[in-house]
Amino acid sequence: MPKSKVRKKTAYTPPPSRTPVKVRAAGPSHPLYKAVMFGLMLLGLLWLVVNYLAGDKLDFMMELGNWNFAIGFALMITGLLMTMRWR
């Protein structure tokens, strides 16, 4: 049986070194950001609770109908999405 050819391996050359870039550390979030974030989550929860308890007694909530769920959940999700940027 014929013998296979042996391939030569090229020597490893590391990539050229780069100078590290200093990244400015982001400081903590503004206290108002935290207040708005938690406020939106609580406002969405409150919207849904009021809709369940007194939605049939409030004219503007009766007109919105099932859109009350969208409004309440949108407020809560907006507050939840803000937590990703909170430091």
Side-chain angles (χ1 to χ4, degrees), residues 28-42:
S29 296
H30 196 275
L32 185 63
Y33 187 86
K34 186 166 59 169
V36 170
M37 177 181 68
F38 287 121
L40 283 172
M41 287 189 270
L42 287 174

Side-chain angles (χ1 to χ4, degrees), residues 18-72:
R18 293 185 275 168
T19 57
V21 178
K22 290 186 179 181
V23 177
R24 188 174 69 110
S29 296
H30 196 275
L32 185 63
Y33 187 86
K34 186 166 59 169
V36 170
M37 177 181 68
F38 287 121
L40 283 172
M41 287 189 270
L42 287 174
L43 184 65
L45 179 67
L46 233 136
W47 188 279
L48 291 175
V49 169
V50 168
N51 180 42
Y52 275 114
L53 296 179
D56 55 344
K57 295 177 180 87
L58 300 172
D59 291 332
F60 72 95
M61 281 196 154
M62 278 183 20
E63 290 176 15
L64 289 173
N66 286 335
W67 281 101
N68 285 309
F69 297 110
I71 293 169

Side-chain angles (χ1 to χ4, degrees), residues 3-26:
K3 198 171 185 181
S4 62
K5 295 181 182 179
V6 178
R7 296 183 197 169
K8 289 185 180 181
K9 293 184 179 179
T10 58
Y12 173 73
T13 55
S17 63
R18 293 185 275 168
T19 57
V21 178
K22 290 186 179 181
V23 177
R24 188 174 69 110

